[in-house]
Amino acid sequence: MGNTESSAYQRRLARVPPAEQVQIGQSFDKVTGNPDKKCVGLTAFQDSIGHSLPASMSQRIFHGMRSVNVTGKAAACVPEVTREQFVVFIIDLLRGTAEEKSAVILPMIGADNSEQVTGQQVQQFLEDLIGAAIHALRQQNALSGWSLENTRDCACGTRTLATQLLTQLQKLSGGRSPDGAELSSFSRADIEDWLYRAPIISAFLRVAVTSPFSILQQRDVSSLVPRCHRGRAPGFSSLLDLPAIVYLNSHLPSEMQHKWRLLFSTQVHGESFSQLCGHLLDQGPSLLVLRDSGGYIFGGFAAQNWEVKPQFQGDSRCFLFTVAPVLDLFTYTGYNDHYMYLNHGQQTMPNGLGMGGQHDYFGLWIDSNFGKGHSKAKPWCTTYNSPQLSATEEFSIDSMEVWGLGDLSEELQVKNKKSILDADPEARALLEMTGRTRQSDGLRDKDDDEA
């Protein structure tokens, strides 16, 4: 038995570098408070964690550790966690296969002797997990410029994201039971497939499970929360909540996930279409977020730089999304290439900003007469397969914000070099909308590296 246990334990250790092995071992010693102690109970475990995690999540982690079978044989259930169980649990969550992760996550969700969990158990587990990850990041000052004070209600966002992730599990499991009701239970195979297809869950787990033991890796933070650059926007509060920010960021191209730059906000810049365009043009890919007068929050990801022209632009990476009352995301269908549209000053073409669908029937439309828009889907947007995003088909904008994503390309950095007109983005936008060029562009002094 001892050889079997040693073999299973050593196989896990072989997956991590020596420095990480030492770090995990030291974490267990910290939990027990005594390097010679071989096991730890729930009370001592939670006391050692302190306020690093909510009690509900620390109890789930302990239960997952206690379920680890390092011998491969049937074992009596004991109320303590051994060093070997602790180490195998951490390594399986950090570097394990979907099958290995599911073996420890099922007990965390609530499975006891069976390998089935209910939808209600999964929902509560997800709410505890998301809340614990946000809590851990906040405790470690790792929210990258975001806070619970400058974002939307986090508790509401946690429930919404948990529901969205549960919906993904239901779809992967077949959606509905034979009697037409929502599936009420899920197998270990369902959980394995879900973990493989929804990597955001593993990212939350890595943060929640490793941060109390001081083995949180920087990649776990950067892969979840983008750095927030708000510029000069005192008192600004985002329409998004932290769980929604994490969810949307996880669907962006990897090169855009590390940083969000606030480009425009009606709170800061007022309600003006020319102001919107002035802060949007030549800023690269962006994320548009709106709240309508009905309280619905929705928007779109523009994968390319916006240009004022009477043709569609963009590419198949673009998508539309909703944040409230439900969180969901709608990607390219392949039906047409009507990804993005921005136009002004035309008599024969629509003037405004649109994404998806077709003229006068956009999946998302902001009229050049700022404050009005529409989301027309009968029943779905042809470009993104999205439903009506807003509370009503024709809507009024209550608030809006736009985020630039990632770093500006060298070409756009050069294009954004300061001139007299650049000091007034609205004047610049109006000039470009009329089709005129800035005469000063060719007269600017070259930088030292351009001479």
Side-chain angles (χ1 to χ4, degrees), residues 5-23:
E5 179 175 334
S6 175
S7 175
Y9 178 59
Q10 292 300 326
R11 282 200 304 271
R12 295 305 200 284
L13 285 179
R15 296 181 182 176
V16 299
E20 196 169 320
Q21 294 179 26
V22 172
Q23 196 175 27

Side-chain angles (χ1 to χ4, degrees), residues 60 109 117-125 166 183-184 186:
R60 288 183 185 275
I109 295 175
V117 290
T118 67
Q120 185 176 1
Q121 286 176 316
V122 174
Q123 174 79 22
Q124 189 57 58
F125 165 74
L166 174 59
L183 285 174
S184 58
F186 307 95

Side-chain angles (χ1 to χ4, degrees), residues 249-311:
N249 196 56
S250 71
H251 287 84
L252 298 176
S254 57
E255 68 272 15
M256 303 178 195
Q257 293 180 354
H258 65 284
K259 179 168 61 177
W260 289 18
R261 300 169 283 113
L262 183 65
L263 301 179
F264 172 82
S265 167
T266 51
Q267 297 177 37
V268 179
H269 304 104
E271 299 180 357
S272 163
F273 189 75
S274 55
Q275 277 282 1
L276 167 64
C277 293
H279 288 85
L280 187 66
L281 297 175
D282 298 331
Q283 294 297 322
S286 56
L287 195 78
L288 288 70
V289 188
L290 299 91
R291 181 174 60 205
D292 66 16
S293 57
Y296 280 42
I297 300 175
F298 51 94
F301 162 57
Q304 291 188 9
N305 187 51
W306 288 96
E307 297 180 54
V308 178
K309 59 183 181 180
Q311 294 90 31

Side-chain angles (χ1 to χ4, degrees), residues 36-48:
D36 297 325
K37 198 168 182 180
K38 304 298 182 183
C39 55
V40 62
L42 175 60
T43 301
F45 180 81
Q46 290 186 311
D47 287 346
S48 69

Side-chain angles (χ1 to χ4, degrees), residues 23-35 37 39-50 61-62 65 81-83 86 90 209 212-214:
Q23 196 175 27
I24 295 173
Q26 289 174 341
S27 297
F28 183 78
D29 293 339
K30 183 180 178 181
V31 168
T32 61
N34 184 349
K37 198 168 182 180
C39 55
V40 62
L42 175 60
T43 301
F45 180 81
Q46 290 186 311
D47 287 346
S48 69
I49 290 177
I61 292 173
F62 183 86
M65 290 178 175
V81 169
T82 66
R83 174 184 290 270
F86 179 93
I90 295 293
V209 170
F213 311 117
S214 302

Side-chain angles (χ1 to χ4, degrees), residues 83-304:
R83 174 184 290 270
E84 288 77 13
Q85 287 176 313
F86 179 93
V87 171
V88 170
F89 176 87
I90 295 293
I91 294 176
D92 278 355
L93 279 183
L94 290 179
R95 301 179 183 275
T97 62
E99 180 180 3
E100 290 167 339
K101 288 180 181 178
S102 68
V104 294
I105 290 173
L106 274 171
M108 291 175 66
I109 295 175
D112 293 318
N113 297 324
S114 68
E115 291 204 342
Q116 294 277 334
V117 290
T118 67
Q120 185 176 1
Q121 286 176 316
V122 174
Q123 174 79 22
Q124 189 57 58
F125 165 74
L126 287 169
E127 290 184 20
D128 286 350
L129 173 62
I130 297 165
I134 298 296
H135 177 88
L137 292 170
R138 190 184 188 196
Q139 288 287 104
Q140 298 200 12
N141 296 316
L143 288 178
S144 305
W146 305 95
S147 73
L148 300 184
E149 290 71 37
N150 64 24
T151 54
R152 188 168 160 267
D153 177 52
C154 190
C156 179
T158 295
R159 290 191 297 272
T160 306
L161 177 53
T163 300
Q164 165 59 18
L165 294 174
L166 174 59
T167 300
Q168 291 183 32
L169 174 58
Q170 290 170 332
K171 290 178 179 177
L172 290 171
S173 305
R176 293 180 180 273
S177 59
D179 62 2
E182 292 291 344
L183 285 174
S184 58
S185 64
F186 307 95
S187 68
R188 179 170 170 175
D190 294 332
I191 299 297
E192 286 178 21
D193 191 26
W194 183 51
L195 293 171
Y196 176 76
R197 296 175 184 272
I200 191 174
I201 300 170
S202 293
F204 278 129
L205 279 165
R206 286 198 302 270
V207 171
V209 170
T210 62
S211 58
F213 311 117
S214 302
I215 51 178
L216 176 65
Q217 301 177 31
Q218 184 58 38
R219 67 180 177 87
D220 297 324
V221 178
S222 60
S223 66
L224 277 178
V225 187
R227 294 199 310 275
C228 173
H229 290 250
R230 288 177 291 163
R232 297 178 180 178
F236 168 78
S237 181
S238 178
L239 296 171
L240 299 172
D241 52 69
L242 284 166
I245 291 167
V246 170
Y247 179 74
L248 293 173
N249 196 56
S250 71
H251 287 84
L252 298 176
S254 57
E255 68 272 15
M256 303 178 195
Q257 293 180 354
H258 65 284
K259 179 168 61 177
W260 289 18
R261 300 169 283 113
L262 183 65
L263 301 179
F264 172 82
S265 167
T266 51
Q267 297 177 37
V268 179
H269 304 104
E271 299 180 357
S272 163
F273 189 75
S274 55
Q275 277 282 1
L276 167 64
C277 293
H279 288 85
L280 187 66
L281 297 175
D282 298 331
Q283 294 297 322
S286 56
L287 195 78
L288 288 70
V289 188
L290 299 91
R291 181 174 60 205
D292 66 16
S293 57
Y296 280 42
I297 300 175
F298 51 94
F301 162 57
Q304 291 188 9

Side-chain angles (χ1 to χ4, degrees), residues 299-431:
F301 162 57
Q304 291 188 9
N305 187 51
W306 288 96
E307 297 180 54
V308 178
K309 59 183 181 180
Q311 294 90 31
F312 284 96
Q313 52 194 291
D315 62 45
S316 60
R317 296 174 299 170
C318 297
F319 58 76
L320 295 178
F321 61 86
T322 61
V323 172
V326 297
L327 182 64
D328 210 346
L329 190 142
F330 311 98
T331 55
Y332 174 57
T333 62
Y335 184 83
N336 58 40
D337 61 357
H338 298 175
Y339 312 111
M340 303 160 48
Y341 176 89
L342 179 61
N343 198 25
H344 192 271
Q346 294 283 321
Q347 294 185 356
T348 58
M349 301 291 288
N351 294 312
L353 182 152
M355 294 189 71
Q358 57 186 325
H359 295 315
D360 299 323
Y361 291 92
F362 283 90
L364 171 60
W365 173 256
I366 301 169
D367 198 83
S368 60
N369 180 13
F370 194 83
K372 299 179 180 180
H374 72 242
S375 177
K376 296 184 179 180
K378 302 288 187 181
W380 311 103
C381 167
T382 53
T383 312
Y384 299 112
N385 203 34
S386 56
Q388 179 180 300
L389 306 176
S390 47
T392 56
E393 192 173 81
E394 303 276 350
F395 63 84
S396 297
I397 298 173
D398 175 72
S399 186
M400 180 178 179
E401 64 194 47
V402 180
W403 296 91
L405 304 170
D407 298 309
L408 278 177
S409 66
E410 291 185 7
E411 178 185 357
L412 289 179
Q413 288 183 44
V414 171
K415 199 170 183 180
N416 280 286
K417 292 293 183 182
K418 292 298 180 182
S419 76
I420 296 175
L421 282 172
D422 289 329
D424 187 346
E426 186 170 10
R428 172 187 172 188
L430 287 170
L431 192 64

